[in-house]
Amino acid sequence: GYFGEEGGFGAYPDVQGELRMRGMIVHLQCLTSGVVKSINGLSSIHSLPTCMEMDFYDSKFGVGCEVERTVDIRGDCGWAVLIGEKDEVERDYEVACEIMEGMFEVE
């Protein structure tokens, strides 16, 4: 099997190298329910210094869509990948959470 083959799983080192950066995937949450009138703050999250990539599920959470409050991972409305020094990632995570509080304006 794969585990016994030369160059297989056994070719990887037992110990990982030095940790150089921190990373975090932030699952964007909808913190309200109703029909979306506007979406605020997406560009602010995307422009955070540690945000390397981001996606928002506008086909399910865009203007005019009826949305429900996120209660688990299956109901997230997107994601952002934060990468950088530990304190920078933690700071930007807190900012993203603050932005999510007012991200959706609904009727």
Side-chain angles (χ1 to χ4, degrees):
Y2 185 76
F3 291 100
E5 294 177 13
E6 188 167 323
F9 187 77
Y12 291 99
D14 291 336
V15 179
Q16 295 178 348
E18 178 184 337
L19 183 63
R20 290 180 238 164
M21 301 291 263
R22 302 287 174 147
M24 178 183 298
I25 297 176
V26 180
H27 292 275
L28 303 179
Q29 301 174 44
C30 177
L31 300 177
T32 189
S33 298
V35 176
V36 178
K37 287 176 35 178
S38 66
I39 303 163
N40 308 302
L42 291 178
S43 62
S44 296
I45 294 173
H46 192 258
S47 65
L48 290 170
T50 63
C51 185
M52 298 294 115
E53 190 68 44
M54 180 178 156
D55 191 20
F56 178 75
Y57 310 141
D58 56 353
S59 64
K60 291 174 60 179
F61 292 90
V63 174
C65 293
E66 186 163 349
V67 297
E68 296 291 325
R69 182 180 179 89
T70 300
V71 294
D72 60 30
I73 188 115
R74 296 174 299 167
D76 73 353
C77 57
W79 50 265
V81 175
L82 308 181
I83 297 176
E85 298 297 327
K86 181 181 180 187
D87 59 330
E88 295 170 339
V89 169
E90 289 174 354
R91 177 201 63 220
D92 287 354
Y93 171 75
E94 294 298 325
V95 170
C97 288
E98 289 174 16
I99 292 169
M100 281 188 274
E101 289 179 17
M103 193 161 58
F104 290 95
E105 189 176 332
V106 297
E107 354 180 73

